Amino acid sequence: MIFITAKFLVKPEHAEDWPRLAAAFTEATRAEPGCLWYDWSRSLDNPHEYVLVEGFRDGEAGAAHVNSAHFKQAQQELPQYLVATPKIISQMIDQSDWSELGEMAVK
């Protein structure tokens, strides 16, 4: 699968609204057949930073995502709310879902 983590630094005046501003893009992405997950979190240290964790089935699913109409629309609409270009880590990994964190096993 393709595992992606991206950090979005949102302009302070739009930080509270970011989940709503990104909602249509988020919903459309989650509906893609190759999307395994697409989850936003807000930084505990910086209230203007959102972290996106994405999983796509394979390279074909990732390509379909970046070539989708909703991705192209987000490229046009969302940058106006950001302070800077988002930072990303994208890796192809040999698994298809989350593994358990054995070091913190719940008994």
Side-chain angles (χ1 to χ4, degrees), residues 40-62:
W40 290 99
S41 298
R42 196 170 190 179
S43 171
L44 296 175
D45 298 322
N46 181 348
H48 306 136
E49 183 180 77
Y50 285 83
V51 177
L52 178 59
V53 179
E54 310 171 55
F56 292 93
R57 182 186 61 240
D58 53 26
E60 186 177 302

Side-chain angles (χ1 to χ4, degrees), residues 68-79:
S68 69
H70 55 271
F71 189 90
K72 292 181 188 330
Q73 184 174 358
Q75 285 179 301
Q76 296 300 311
E77 294 177 0
L78 296 180

Side-chain angles (χ1 to χ4, degrees), residues 1-8 25 29 32 34-40 51-57 61-62 65-66 71 86-91 93 98:
M1 80 169 152
I2 300 174
F3 185 82
I4 300 167
T5 303
K7 290 185 174 189
F8 292 71
F25 180 53
T29 300
E32 294 174 19
C35 180
L36 302 173
W37 58 80
Y38 195 84
D39 298 324
W40 290 99
V51 177
L52 178 59
V53 179
E54 310 171 55
F56 292 93
R57 182 186 61 240
H65 172 62
V66 298
F71 189 90
K87 304 294 184 191
I88 186 171
I89 296 172
S90 177
Q91 292 292 310
I93 61 173
W98 292 89

Side-chain angles (χ1 to χ4, degrees), residues 18-30:
W18 182 253
R20 180 186 58 78
L21 295 168
F25 180 53
T26 299
E27 290 170 19
T29 300
R30 287 176 176 166

